[in-house]
Amino acid sequence: MTTIKRAKGFWLSILLSLIFFAAIQVLIGGGSLNPFYQNTLMFIGINIILAASLHLIIGITGQFSIGHAGFLAVGAYASAVLTMKLQMPFALALIVGGLAAALAGLIIGIPSLRLKGDYLAIATLGFGEIVRIMLLNIDYVGGASGMQVSHLTTWPWVFASVIVTIVVIRNFTSSTHGRACISIREDETAADSMGINTTYYKVVAFAIGAFFAGIAGGLYAHNFYIIQPSNFGFLKSFDILILVVLGGLGSLSGAVLAAILLTVVTTFLQDYPETRMIIYSLVLIVMMIYRPQGLMGTKEITSMFKRKGGSSHENKNTAA
Amino acid sequence: MELIQQLINGVSLGSIYALIALGYTMVYGIVKLINFAHGDVFMVGSFVGFYSITVLDLSFVPALLISMTVCALFGVLIERIAYKPLRNATRIAALITAIGVSLLIEYGFIYVRGAQPEAYPNDVLPADKFNIFGVSINSQSVLIFGVAVVLMIILQIIVHRTKIGKAMRAVSFDADAAKLMGINVDNTISATFAIGSALAGAAGVIFGIYYIKIEPLMGVLPGLKAFVAAVLGGIGIIPGAMVGGLLLGVIEALVSAAGYSLWRDAVAFVVLILILIFLPQGLFGKNKKEKV
């Protein structure tokens, strides 16, 4: 019974999102959506992917990683090298960007088996910085002055990536593996003693999260005309972290919602970068003191959000 | 000879790291919180020192004392406003708040005074060079090292010979038991923040004098590296932070001497990751088993 209901919900949300996609596509094709709005839309998409991928690592597996910009950078540079230096098609570049980031995720994820909480946070922060400094010192990708990238990211690409990311992460979360990850989040020692291979699941979550961050990196790189190592400092990591924290650690729809909300706010505060950072940091502090569970807590979709957004791809109709 | 010169530079830089690392380690030892804002207290200290010297026309020692006092108050303020309500919250919540406080100080500071850098006046300390066995030593680096050592000795005296030091050790060992013994835990934690922040303020002034250029985001990288130093020595252990800081400074100097100065910043983090993998308790730490 519930499986039928779930399947129904899944196809309904796929249908709704396709309608949403077509509507935007028509708007873009008809020229009624000017480049500013188009760009904001791309940004929202990229941020949704980033938020969802970090959500898998922090919200589901409970591994406090604050070097997500490192994975983003690996994906961005890998895909940019493929399209610009090796003249490969964009789709391949995106996937290779994702795989390169996943590899980086494995490299950082395997040592993470020994680290917990604060230590892991610092190690991942260090990893992000190492990636940035390495990119800064590699002349092949332009060093500090960066790399020229042509504009290949389009609405269908962003949309398809968002859908794939959300469906994969959603299904992973509700699978056996996802439940194992959640048990690690709740109590690692207890999960371990119940026979869950905590190391394995942590590394898997890291790799999947990194993979999608890498895809987002590919989209990010090809949405600009130039990428520089300074775009991927730990401020970028904190930006992504805020999306997950604001949405609620452990809530995918919360992360998506926060990504949409904050991207729009950011776009309007573009001319006042200091104000933006002050607002960001105040949101973090006040949030942690008064509502540490975030906007959504660990709850998923409300039916209202589903009807409204259309781009939410939740396939489970739990009473939120 | 070039190598020895680099080593001396490394020790000067390392003593700055060590001073900041002490604050990290003390705070971590007592409330188990990585105080990300500590690097920004260091930055504020540097600016307070700068304004004391240029605007108030003070010499080195008064500027250092003013900066330490302001930073101590600032540290206590941060603790009372942002960290105290989170005393019983999850570790992740505390860590996120610390990141938030760090960003707030940085960008609040930029908002108030702008992002432009300042240059420390270069006549604060005499900059003589003297030769010992063919190695020319800058008197500034000797003085900096001296100041750092004096501050560390004072810290050791405070921690091991005074009442508040005893309270700090008791709280870091077991806060609940300390409370039962009649120790005011809140005040002890505030005192820890005050002392750690004062040391960071001193490090800020020294940094400004030695490296001349200061700017609102200058606290980020030294802050992170000081944290690396604290982890290197074993976080929560005061002598560990001193040794870790000096060691990190020397490692960086050696990397620069080997001709890889562009990779200098990355090396600190590589050291961090290696230490975390192979010796997570740090050089001076004891291995503790986790209980369920």
Side-chain angles (χ1 to χ4, degrees):
Chain A
M1 187 64 190
T2 45
T3 28
I4 297 172
K5 243 188 200 165
R6 264 190 210 172
K8 237 181 175 176
F10 176 76
W11 291 113
L12 188 70
S13 39
I14 290 285
L15 187 73
L16 278 175
S17 52
L18 283 177
I19 293 171
F20 177 73
F21 166 73
I24 298 288
Q25 188 63 23
V26 167
L27 279 178
I28 292 174
S32 53
L33 215 59
N34 69 32
F36 176 74
Y37 288 112
Q38 279 187 37
N39 217 14
T40 309
L41 212 59
M42 307 278 200
F43 252 131
I44 290 176
I46 293 170
N47 278 341
I48 289 177
I49 300 175
L50 285 172
S53 62
L54 190 62
H55 153 83
L56 180 66
I57 299 174
I58 300 186
I60 297 298
T61 323
Q63 300 305 302
F64 200 56
S65 158
I66 49 178
H68 219 53
F71 300 134
L72 181 72
V74 170
Y77 271 90
S79 62
V81 164
L82 240 66
T83 52
M84 302 315 295
K85 305 261 183 195
L86 308 173
Q87 325 298 341
M88 296 287 176
F90 184 47
L92 184 72
L94 274 187
I95 290 170
V96 171
L99 290 177
L103 189 70
L106 285 178
I107 293 170
I108 191 69
I110 289 167
S112 87
L113 62 101
R114 277 167 167 270
L115 308 175
K116 283 181 189 133
D118 307 345
Y119 287 96
L120 178 66
I122 293 294
T124 48
L125 185 73
F127 160 76
E129 282 300 285
I130 291 173
V131 168
R132 188 179 64 83
I133 295 163
M134 275 171 73
L135 291 172
L136 211 54
N137 286 299
I138 297 174
D139 287 332
Y140 182 69
V141 294
S145 54
M147 196 172 161
Q148 295 236 322
V149 186
S150 36
H151 187 98
L152 295 173
T153 306
T154 55
W155 166 242
W157 281 114
V158 174
F159 184 79
S161 313
V162 170
I163 290 282
V164 169
T165 309
I166 288 181
V167 167
V168 168
I169 289 180
R170 185 84 199 107
N171 286 350
F172 179 84
T173 309
S174 46
S175 72
T176 321
H177 309 287
R179 287 199 296 275
C181 288
I182 292 174
S183 76
I184 295 174
R185 175 187 76 190
E186 295 302 329
D187 189 331
E188 193 174 328
T189 323
D192 201 16
S193 58
M194 294 307 285
I196 285 167
N197 188 345
T198 51
T199 306
Y200 170 77
Y201 282 111
K202 284 198 274 185
V203 171
V204 165
F206 244 98
I208 297 178
F211 176 80
F212 286 113
I215 300 257
L219 295 168
Y220 183 89
H222 294 85
N223 195 28
F224 291 100
Y225 296 92
I226 195 159
I227 48 171
Q228 290 169 322
S230 57
N231 298 349
F232 305 102
F234 50 73
L235 267 185
K236 187 73 199 167
S237 295
F238 289 166
D239 274 356
I240 308 167
L241 177 68
I242 292 169
L243 301 179
V244 179
V245 173
L246 183 68
L249 289 168
S251 168
L252 179 59
S253 35
V256 172
L257 201 65
I260 297 170
L261 192 76
L262 276 185
T263 314
V264 173
V265 172
T266 306
T267 315
F268 285 105
L269 286 176
Q270 224 155 33
D271 297 336
Y272 315 96
E274 285 92 41
T275 319
R276 181 178 82 97
M277 290 314 297
I278 290 173
I279 292 175
Y280 262 36
S281 51
L282 282 176
V283 164
L284 273 187
I285 299 169
V286 172
M287 195 83 168
M288 282 302 123
I289 294 178
Y290 295 104
R291 199 178 157 78
Q293 69 271 40
L295 287 179
M296 306 275 294
T298 49
K299 294 196 184 85
E300 287 301 343
I301 32 120
T302 61
S303 49
M304 214 184 94
F305 169 55
K306 207 171 172 189
R307 226 173 290 141
K308 238 181 170 177
S311 65
S312 99
H313 318 287
E314 317 305 344
N315 53 5
K316 219 170 156 188
N317 259 319
T318 47
Chain B
M1 288 305 113
E2 169 72 22
L3 187 68
I4 296 173
Q5 208 123 21
Q6 287 286 357
L7 279 177
I8 291 167
N9 288 342
V11 169
S12 305
L13 179 63
S15 55
I16 294 173
Y17 288 156
L19 283 178
I20 312 173
L22 283 170
Y24 268 117
T25 256
M26 289 167 68
V27 166
Y28 192 90
I30 208 155
V31 282
K32 297 282 173 289
L33 165 78
I34 298 175
N35 182 10
F36 266 103
H38 197 64
D40 303 301
V41 174
F42 159 79
M43 176 273 288
V44 169
S46 194
F47 272 92
V48 170
F50 172 76
Y51 289 124
S52 316
I53 291 166
T54 53
V55 179
L56 301 178
D57 228 2
L58 296 173
S59 59
F60 173 68
V61 177
L64 189 75
L65 291 178
I66 288 181
S67 167
M68 287 174 73
T69 315
V70 171
C71 283
L73 292 174
F74 190 51
V76 172
L77 197 70
I78 294 171
E79 192 266 332
R80 284 282 149 120
I81 295 174
Y83 299 148
K84 203 177 162 203
L86 287 158
R87 199 76 40 88
N88 296 315
T90 57
R91 298 280 282 276
I92 285 186
L95 197 56
I96 292 170
T97 311
I99 292 172
V101 172
S102 165
L103 292 177
L104 183 64
I105 298 173
E106 283 161 19
Y107 288 90
F109 204 74
I110 291 179
Y111 190 80
V112 172
R113 73 165 284 285
Q116 73 282 7
E118 298 279 3
Y120 256 72
N122 53 10
D123 53 354
V124 186
L125 286 179
D128 305 324
K129 288 205 192 295
F130 40 90
N131 280 301
I132 298 173
F133 308 122
V135 184
S136 88
I137 296 173
N138 190 337
S139 63
Q140 277 191 351
S141 37
V142 177
L143 275 169
I144 283 167
F145 185 63
V147 169
V149 169
V150 167
L151 288 173
M152 287 178 206
I153 291 171
I154 294 175
L155 177 70
Q156 281 292 332
I157 293 171
I158 292 177
V159 171
H160 290 283
R161 295 269 184 278
T162 63
K163 216 171 161 187
I164 189 77
K166 203 172 198 174
M168 278 161 55
R169 282 181 290 146
V171 173
S172 78
F173 193 76
D174 188 334
D176 291 330
K179 207 180 235 165
L180 291 174
M181 294 293 121
I183 291 172
N184 187 334
V185 173
D186 282 341
N187 282 353
T188 311
I189 291 174
S190 293
T192 312
F193 269 87
I195 296 171
S197 305
L199 292 174
V205 178
I206 294 176
F207 182 93
I209 289 169
Y210 197 62
Y211 289 94
I212 313 292
K213 193 181 132 191
I214 57 170
E215 43 134 355
L217 293 180
M218 66 185 254
V220 178
L221 212 52
L224 289 177
K225 286 188 188 163
F227 179 77
V228 175
V231 174
L232 186 63
I235 194 154
I237 302 161
I238 289 176
M242 299 178 193
V243 175
L246 289 174
L247 202 58
L248 191 65
V250 170
I251 291 172
E252 278 194 21
L254 291 180
V255 170
S256 300
Y260 295 99
S261 54
L262 286 171
W263 293 90
R264 215 182 63 176
D265 294 340
V267 168
F269 295 109
V270 171
V271 167
L272 171 76
I273 289 174
L274 290 179
I275 277 282
L276 286 175
I277 293 171
F278 293 110
L279 205 64
Q281 303 299 319
L283 297 176
F284 287 66
K286 290 190 195 76
N287 205 358
K288 264 189 268 170
K289 277 266 180 285
E290 190 178 343
K291 279 178 272 181
V292 185

